[in-house]
Amino acid sequence: YLKYYFEKNNYIAIGGMAGVPAQQQEFFLDKCWKFLTNKHGEALRRVHGFGITRLKFLKKYPWHTVDSTSWLRHSATGTIKLNLKIGSVSVSDRNLNGVEHFNNLSTYDKKTVTDYLKNLKNGYTIKELTESYIKRDEVNALYYLNIEKIINKNPPRFIIKQTTLFE
């Protein structure tokens, strides 16, 4: 099907991988992008990723656009995404014992998270993020907007690294 759509369209969408393990998704996407890119790793068509916002995939493949509801799902479960090594932190008062919960972070990490949140566009506190899924939505949306800026500054090229002698 990919060859058919490639020959007939300038814009192609890839998706339907929800629930598929990441390793299998990557194997599938590698096969698709091997076909969809030139020898320099540049996309030959504009490609949209349905439900694809895994950071590794955003950095590896030259998407034209992507979308997903991950940011909303994280917010609904009391989690915020951070542009820090920590990654994501739960701020929900329903899961206080989780390893990734803000209350269980080291003093240093708590300060790092608090400072990060305070310096975001509208400034946020842990208290308001604990109480408001809308505020968590805002923080998670800002996370993905920042990822977009970073990736657009240096768009990825898909280059297959040969892993076997005869490939």
Side-chain angles (χ1 to χ4, degrees):
Y1 288 111
L2 185 57
K3 184 178 179 186
Y4 172 82
Y5 287 109
F6 180 86
E7 290 171 356
K8 300 210 180 272
N9 299 283
N10 289 320
Y11 205 111
I12 296 170
I14 299 173
M17 295 187 288
V20 176
Q23 190 175 12
Q24 289 177 353
Q25 289 180 13
E26 187 170 16
F27 179 79
F28 173 76
L29 290 170
D30 281 354
K31 284 185 159 266
C32 291
W33 281 104
K34 192 173 183 179
F35 182 77
L36 293 170
T37 52
N38 63 22
K39 65 181 180 179
H40 304 292
E42 301 161 330
L44 297 169
R45 298 288 186 273
R46 292 182 296 170
V47 181
H48 177 80
F50 281 118
I52 297 175
T53 52
R54 183 180 302 273
L55 188 55
K56 178 180 182 178
F57 296 163
L58 296 180
K59 289 180 173 181
K60 184 174 182 179
Y61 307 108
W63 303 103
H64 184 70
T65 54
V66 295
D67 67 44
S68 84
T69 58
S70 292
W71 64 286
L72 290 171
R73 193 173 59 250
H74 288 294
S75 300
T77 59
T79 302
I80 53 173
K81 300 283 284 177
L82 307 168
N83 291 344
L84 301 169
K85 283 187 178 182
I86 297 168
S88 23
V89 173
S90 174
V91 294
S92 170
D93 55 4
R94 295 182 183 164
N95 182 23
L96 298 174
N97 297 323
V99 175
E100 297 170 348
H101 195 280
F102 178 81
N103 292 346
N104 298 327
L105 297 177
S106 69
T107 303
Y108 175 81
D109 284 345
K110 283 181 183 177
K111 181 173 178 0
T112 301
V113 170
T114 303
D115 289 347
Y116 170 84
L117 294 170
K118 186 172 39 176
N119 291 317
L120 286 176
K121 185 178 178 181
N122 297 323
Y124 298 89
T125 66
I126 292 297
K127 183 179 182 338
E128 69 184 331
L129 293 172
T130 299
E131 297 170 354
S132 172
Y133 74 89
I134 293 172
K135 297 291 184 185
R136 292 191 300 268
D137 283 348
E138 291 173 12
V139 169
N140 289 335
L142 288 170
Y143 166 82
Y144 282 107
L145 287 170
N146 188 57
I147 295 298
E148 177 187 28
K149 281 183 196 171
I150 292 168
I151 289 174
N152 284 340
K153 279 183 185 175
N154 189 18
R157 293 174 184 239
F158 178 66
I159 308 293
I160 286 280
K161 295 178 180 99
Q162 189 168 338
T163 56
T164 62
L165 183 59
F166 302 105
E167 191 169 85

